[in-house]
């Protein structure tokens, strides 16, 4: 027996020596965050005045200095910073590592960080009501550095959108500063910006976006072990797709190492009405690669920014100003519709928004908006609500219904009747946002009279052929505050062409350039717990061939932005479902 023991000892020692001598797989540490400076600034919010449960939520803007590398051309100093908005319990820990969980949200296309204002307050206050402390961070993509908020901030102080209009459109100086211009000034129905003033934006693609997302997580959680316990990654719309690509991204480009992979910086995923926190089924690739590859050859020669006819920087500035007026001067008659500048892009956008049908659009020399008597709430509502905004469902919010005067069905760009055909409903409703649209019809009289159009807010919405209380989820006043109050925008004025191209091709499984070197962990998102909040009438509902990791919760009748903006208390008194589901999931992750 002693001989056998000695033999096994020698075998064990030999095996240990051989194992030590053999090369082992490298274990790479996560990359450094790149943050050289951090500045956190609280701001005073009026949120609790409207929603008392939000009194326990505190908010701050966090700015991280992460200089762009030498490969980028000259750029504004502001573009060496990343910004996110932080929402947390007022009586909770100030160190995020001591929180129960932190949700780091990436906005969708044409969205900024304050898109997470309402959902952030909802989740934090819901967790707090259960005796727990979670945080929500809304990330601003780096391209938002080009936004000049001088006019918006001055209008907020003055409680008057005319201050912003004068700054952005009429050359008024504020604090010795004069607005230069909006990037891209050539109007068209669909345009990819060839202005080229900010050439560095050509290189703001997927890689930089994911590096910035990583920097936000790593700065808040220096210990990688904490990230896999408490950090829930995710986003809305495009932000969900970007999160899935983050999970698959290998930061050192070495498949043999795993500590640096994006999936290993997260404890789970929350996707908000998105096509996937993953990738599309590969059966889609042959059909669509013929489209994406020519675009890929064209994209490097394009300038930096994508723009749509009703989603352009000028309209976004007007919408943000109108939001401030709606919040401060809600039911008062407004003169803003007559003071909105008549630039080509604004005139075209308003004609699209307020034309009743195709013939009216063709014949109309100016939008009917200028001829109407409107309250400040009505102006903001008509520009964004799902019963009036007609360009695409991606920008609709279910936040009430017009009041005070006669309405007519809006048959533009498509007739409402098309929504009655079941086979066409996914296109006409879920994608184009049609089927329940109205437009005010009674103009101002010669003596300045006529009906004053106002707004039915959440809780006072009538039942009619277009809507009912069960189809409205957001309160216009709360949405207006989220649009104008935070120090970052709800809307994203400038969206990089390169990011659009690379994220779409990567989603389809195509891997040109850096994507092939770093997207090495397909389906990584499926390794962790996941929650998918799917809007019942959102564009993601019509996607086919897409797999979602984790559990999917369908939100009936919700539009694309509704999960972000829904009021915590619904019209029937019930607790808003996406708030409850997201909080449940965060606490499940926190509890292991």
């Amino acid at each position: 027996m002693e001989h056998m023991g000695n033999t096994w000892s020698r075998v064990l020692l030999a095996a240990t020596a051989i194992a030590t001598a053999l090369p082992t797989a490298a274990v790479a540490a996560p990359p450094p965050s790149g943050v050289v400076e951090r500045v956190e600034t609280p701001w005073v919010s009026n949120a609790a005045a409207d929603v008392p449960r939000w009194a326990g939520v505190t908010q701050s803007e966090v700015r991280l200095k992460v200089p762009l590398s030498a490969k980028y051309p000259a750029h504004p100093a502001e573009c060496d910073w990343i910004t996110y908005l932080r929402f947390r319990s007022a009586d909770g820990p100030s160190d995020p590592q001591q929180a129960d969980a932190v949700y780091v949200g990436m906005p969708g296309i044409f969205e900024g960080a304050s898109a997470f204002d309402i959902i952030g307050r909802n989740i934090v206050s819901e967790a707090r009501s259960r005796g727990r402390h979670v945080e929500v961070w809304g990330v601003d993509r780096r391209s938002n550095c080009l936004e000049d908020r001088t006019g918006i901030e001055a209008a907020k102080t003055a409680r008057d959108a005319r201050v912003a209009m004068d700054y952005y459109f009429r050359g008024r100086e504020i604090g010795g500063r004069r607005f230069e211009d909006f990037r891209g000034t050539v109007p068209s129905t669909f345009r990819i910006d060839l202005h080229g003033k900010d050439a560095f934006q050509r290189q703001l693609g997927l890689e930089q976006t994911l590096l910035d997302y990583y920097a936000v997580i790593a700065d808040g959680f220096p210990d990688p072990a904490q990230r896999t316990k408490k950090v829930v990654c995710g986003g809305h719309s495009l932000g969900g797709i970007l999160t899935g690509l983050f999970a698959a991204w290998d930061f050192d480009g070495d498949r043999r190492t795993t500590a640096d992979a994006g999936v290993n910086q997260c404890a789970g995923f929350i996707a908000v009405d998105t096509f996937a926190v993953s990738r599309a089924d590969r059966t889609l690739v042959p059909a669509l690669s013929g489209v994406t590859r020519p675009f890929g050859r064209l994209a490097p020669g394009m300038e930096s920014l994508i723009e749509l006819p009703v989603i352009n920087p000028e309209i976004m500035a007007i919408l943000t100003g109108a939001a401030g007026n709606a919040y401060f001067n809600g039911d008062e008659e407004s003169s803003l519709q007559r003071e909105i500048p008549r630039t080509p892009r604004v005139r075209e956008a308003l004609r699209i928004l307020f034309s009743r049908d195709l013939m009216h659009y063709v014949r109309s020399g100016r939008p009917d908006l200028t001829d109407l008597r409107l309250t400040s709430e009505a102006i903001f509502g008509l520009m964004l609500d799902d019963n009036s905004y007609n360009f695409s469902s991606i920008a609709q919010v279910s936040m009430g219904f017009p009041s005070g005067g006669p309405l007519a069905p809006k048959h533009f760009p498509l007739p409402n009747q098309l929504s009655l055909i079941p086979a066409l409903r996914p296109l006409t409703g879920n994608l184009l946002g049609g089927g329940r649209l109205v437009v005010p019809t009674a103009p101002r009289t010669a003596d300045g009279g006529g009906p004053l159009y106002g707004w039915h807010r959440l809780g006072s919405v009538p039942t009619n052929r277009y809507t009912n209380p069960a189809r409205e989820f957001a309160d216009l006043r709360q949405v207006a505050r989220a649009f104008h109050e935070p120090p970052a925008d709800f809307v994203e004025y400038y969206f990089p062409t390169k990011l659009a191209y690379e994220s779409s091709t990567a989603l389809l499984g195509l891997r040109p350039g850096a994507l092939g070197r770093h997207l090495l962990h397909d389906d990584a998102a499926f390794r962790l717990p996941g929650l998918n909040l799917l809007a019942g009438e959102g564009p993601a509902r019509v996607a086919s061939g897409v797999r979602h990791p984790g559990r999917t919760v369908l939100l009936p009748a919700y539009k694309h932005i509704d999960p972000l903006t829904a009021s915590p208390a619904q019209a029937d008194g019930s607790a808003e479902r996406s708030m409850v589901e997201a909080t449940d999931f965060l606490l499940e992750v926190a509890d292991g």
Side-chain angles (χ1 to χ4, degrees), residues 312-328:
N312 64 60
E314 293 180 35
I315 285 294
M316 290 176 179
I318 292 169
L319 180 61
T320 305
N325 273 15
Y327 185 80
F328 291 117

Side-chain angles (χ1 to χ4, degrees), residues 404-429:
L407 304 167
K410 182 191 291 188
H411 298 293
F412 185 78
L414 296 174
N416 272 345
Q417 292 91 331
L418 290 180
S419 66
L420 301 177
I421 304 174
L424 296 180
R425 181 60 189 169
L427 173 65
T428 60

Side-chain angles (χ1 to χ4, degrees), residues 170-230:
R170 300 186 180 102
R172 176 186 173 183
E173 288 189 3
I174 295 179
R177 179 169 183 169
R178 186 184 296 273
F179 183 64
E180 292 184 15
D181 61 11
F182 291 101
R183 269 67 182 181
T185 55
V186 180
S188 68
T189 302
F190 178 86
R191 185 171 65 79
I192 296 179
D193 189 349
L194 302 178
H195 192 51
K197 181 175 182 178
D198 301 289
F200 82 97
Q201 287 251 87
R202 293 183 186 181
Q203 298 184 41
L204 282 182
L206 183 61
E207 182 173 14
Q208 188 64 56
T209 301
L210 300 186
L211 282 168
D212 292 348
Y213 190 64
Y214 173 85
V216 168
I217 295 172
D219 179 74
F221 289 81
D223 181 1
Q226 284 284 80
R227 301 171 201 165
T228 57
K229 295 177 181 178
K230 295 189 175 184

Side-chain angles (χ1 to χ4, degrees), residues 370 378 567:
T370 60
S567 177

Side-chain angles (χ1 to χ4, degrees), residues 109 190-194 202 204-205 238 288-308 495-506 508 510 512 515:
I109 189 170
F190 178 86
R191 185 171 65 79
I192 296 179
D193 189 349
L194 302 178
R202 293 183 186 181
L204 282 182
L238 174 70
L288 296 178
S289 61
V291 176
T292 58
R293 282 173 181 154
F295 180 58
R297 289 193 293 270
L298 181 61
M302 293 177 178
E303 294 299 339
S304 55
L305 309 169
I306 290 180
E307 179 182 307
L308 299 175
F495 186 79
T497 304
K498 185 175 183 181
L499 180 57
Y501 163 65
E502 290 186 336
S503 58
S504 60
T505 55
L508 294 171
L510 306 178
L515 306 189

Side-chain angles (χ1 to χ4, degrees), residues 39 61-68 74-83 140-149 177 183 200 204 212 487:
V39 179
E61 177 193 44
V62 181
R63 301 182 71 237
L64 306 176
K65 188 171 185 180
V66 185
L68 290 169
H75 53 273
E78 277 294 304
C79 296
D80 281 329
W81 293 77
I82 307 166
T83 298
D140 232 20
R141 280 185 289 273
R142 198 181 287 253
S143 54
N144 289 310
C145 66
L146 294 176
E147 297 170 5
D148 179 354
R149 288 184 50 86
R177 179 169 183 169
R183 269 67 182 181
F200 82 97
L204 282 182
D212 292 348

Side-chain angles (χ1 to χ4, degrees), residues 530-542:
L531 172 67
N532 307 283
L533 300 171
L534 194 62
E537 295 184 10
R541 185 78 192 280
V542 305

